[in-house]
Amino acid sequence: MISLSILDYSPIDEGAVAGDALQQTTALAQLADELGYKRYWVAEHHQVFSVAGSSPEMLMMHLAGATKRIRIGSGGVMLPHYSSYKVAENFRLLEALHPGRIDLGIGRSRSYRLVNKALNESKGIPVSYEQQIADIQKYLTDDTETEHRFQKLRATPVTKTAPEMWVLGTGEGSAKVAAEAGAGYVYAHFAKPLKSSARLFRSYENQFQPSKLQDAPNTMVSVFVVVGETKEEAENLAKAFDLWLLFIESETPPPYYPSVETAMQRGFSASEMEKVTRNRKRMLVGTAEEVKRRIEEIAEIFETEEILVIPNVARAENRMKTVRLLAEAFGLEKRQQKNGQ
């Protein structure tokens, strides 16, 4: 049985401001909580002015307090920018306040060069990503016995439970890092939608080393979804998504997520249509039942039981509708009632 979770970029709709987007994220998280989604993750984007999610830890604190049951997480913290020790302390604080509900999703940074420079300006010799992941594991498990350059250092506050740790990626390197750390692994299908990538999960599972954080491998696939009540509605929403993807790949992207009306009026050039066609492979577009079938196909190919959907469509009401329609298609509320939650 497939579990559904959500990754939210907090898009700033055309005509809205960042504060609106963050309030809409809060409302969407509360709806997901009611509908029976398993997790609600928020992203970290810098120098992308059409989304409001730049500091996942701070937004997570707000969302965890505004929801009741759903797990709250990052998708993800761009670890190369930060101190592993400080990240561990941030997430331990979240875990102390909301035990058993916090996920630490970690990714590599692919930010703009200027962003990388600003976030790393005062650093000395950089620590490798693999070492940073190992450091996080040490701090979250209170390991003061294994040889380490900061062997006796512990992250505070000390908690009885630990956040779930996940590594995000699209290649052999990230799968190996996740396996060696004894962490969960999330494949970013929305970035690299290749069926052949399912082998990464087998590689991850074969190399997995049980840890205090997790004794068995755990996987997720993350996908862009565009859902409408009809095929026509879904296609119209997809056109706005097509335009947003073109915008963020351009040199001067506007500071908003374009509306369906803007996308329909503007249209696409021949060269843009080539990019649109390529980008369409990154998203699942259709009615809830059609998208459900595609999700089930992906889950079967990757042999995973959890899908992380990104409902990154124009307008808050359409994001709410997407989440509702998928929940109905998968019977999430019925499952939740059956489990007594």
Side-chain angles (χ1 to χ4, degrees):
M1 186 178 294
I2 298 172
S3 294
L4 285 187
S5 296
I6 293 172
L7 171 56
D8 183 8
Y9 287 1
S10 302
I12 303 172
D13 289 314
E14 190 172 351
V17 296
D20 299 326
L22 295 171
Q23 291 302 320
Q24 291 159 1
T25 281
T26 305
L28 193 60
Q30 291 170 332
L31 178 63
D33 195 14
E34 294 170 9
L35 293 176
Y37 282 84
K38 187 173 182 179
R39 311 174 197 273
Y40 196 94
W41 286 12
V42 290
E44 177 180 335
H45 288 104
H46 303 286
Q47 199 73 2
V48 180
F49 300 107
S50 56
V51 298
S54 59
S55 180
E57 302 97 325
M58 292 190 70
L59 186 51
M60 284 174 61
M61 182 69 81
H62 170 70
L63 295 177
T67 53
K68 298 176 182 177
R69 173 204 57 85
I70 197 167
R71 296 189 66 91
I72 301 295
S74 57
V77 169
M78 298 296 106
L79 189 56
H81 290 322
Y82 310 115
S83 153
S84 292
Y85 183 61
K86 184 59 178 175
V87 171
E89 289 196 320
N90 284 341
F91 278 79
R92 277 205 146 177
L93 183 59
L94 281 160
E95 182 70 20
L97 287 167
H98 305 280
R101 291 184 57 209
I102 301 301
D103 295 335
L104 168 55
I106 297 167
R108 294 179 189 261
S109 171
R110 289 184 174 84
S111 296
Y112 298 95
R113 185 177 299 177
L114 191 63
V115 170
N116 284 324
K117 185 176 180 180
L119 286 170
N120 293 276
E121 188 174 26
S122 62
K123 289 186 178 179
I125 300 173
V127 179
S128 73
Y129 184 60
E130 292 76 10
Q131 182 61 59
Q132 282 193 294
I133 295 285
D135 293 345
I136 288 272
Q137 184 199 48
K138 165 196 162 44
Y139 296 134
L140 292 183
T141 59
D142 291 316
D143 182 1
T144 57
E145 301 302 320
T146 304
E147 186 175 342
H148 188 274
R149 65 193 188 285
F150 304 121
Q151 186 171 341
K152 298 302 179 182
L153 186 63
R154 298 176 70 187
T156 56
V158 176
T159 55
K160 292 182 179 179
T161 58
E164 282 191 15
M165 182 171 160
W166 295 80
V167 174
L168 290 63
T170 57
E172 292 284 356
S174 56
K176 185 174 185 290
V177 165
E180 292 180 348
Y185 182 53
V186 185
Y187 180 74
H189 179 279
F190 66 89
K192 201 173 182 181
L194 302 176
K195 291 183 179 180
S196 60
S197 296
R199 64 182 168 74
L200 293 177
F201 278 18
R202 309 293 79 79
S203 174
Y204 158 75
E205 290 163 353
N206 291 335
Q207 298 179 81
F208 184 83
Q209 298 177 18
S211 68
K212 290 181 180 179
L213 294 174
Q214 195 170 296
D215 59 9
N218 203 4
T219 59
M220 266 194 285
V221 178
S222 185
V223 298
F224 280 138
V225 294
V226 180
V227 179
E229 292 185 77
T230 64
K231 285 186 177 182
E232 182 181 9
E233 182 183 24
E235 180 59 30
N236 288 338
L237 288 170
K239 283 184 172 65
F241 196 0
D242 294 333
L243 182 55
W244 181 73
L245 288 173
L246 289 176
F247 279 167
I248 63 173
E249 292 171 3
S250 69
E251 291 185 4
T252 55
Y256 58 81
Y257 190 114
S259 66
V260 170
E261 294 75 21
T262 293
M264 300 284 274
Q265 290 169 9
R266 181 185 181 279
F268 304 107
S269 68
S271 61
E272 287 176 336
M273 276 307 302
E274 293 179 10
K275 293 181 180 179
V276 167
T277 300
R278 186 170 63 249
N279 282 332
R280 279 297 180 100
K281 296 176 182 178
R282 300 166 57 190
M283 60 183 91
L284 312 184
V285 181
T287 64
E289 286 299 327
E290 289 170 335
V291 171
K292 177 176 182 278
R293 286 194 292 272
R294 295 279 305 281
I295 285 175
E296 289 172 338
E297 288 172 5
I298 290 171
E300 184 175 359
I301 290 168
F302 281 82
E303 296 179 33
T304 187
E305 295 181 352
E306 188 168 354
I307 301 292
L308 185 67
V309 301
I310 310 173
N312 200 39
V313 295
R315 300 297 179 197
E317 59 268 26
N318 292 321
R319 295 189 284 276
M320 302 278 272
K321 183 190 290 185
T322 291
V323 166
R324 281 191 184 278
L325 290 173
L326 279 180
E328 290 171 6
F330 280 90
L332 297 188
E333 284 187 286
K334 291 179 181 177
R335 288 190 216 170
Q336 190 170 217
Q337 291 167 3
K338 186 178 179 181
N339 294 332
Q341 295 180 327

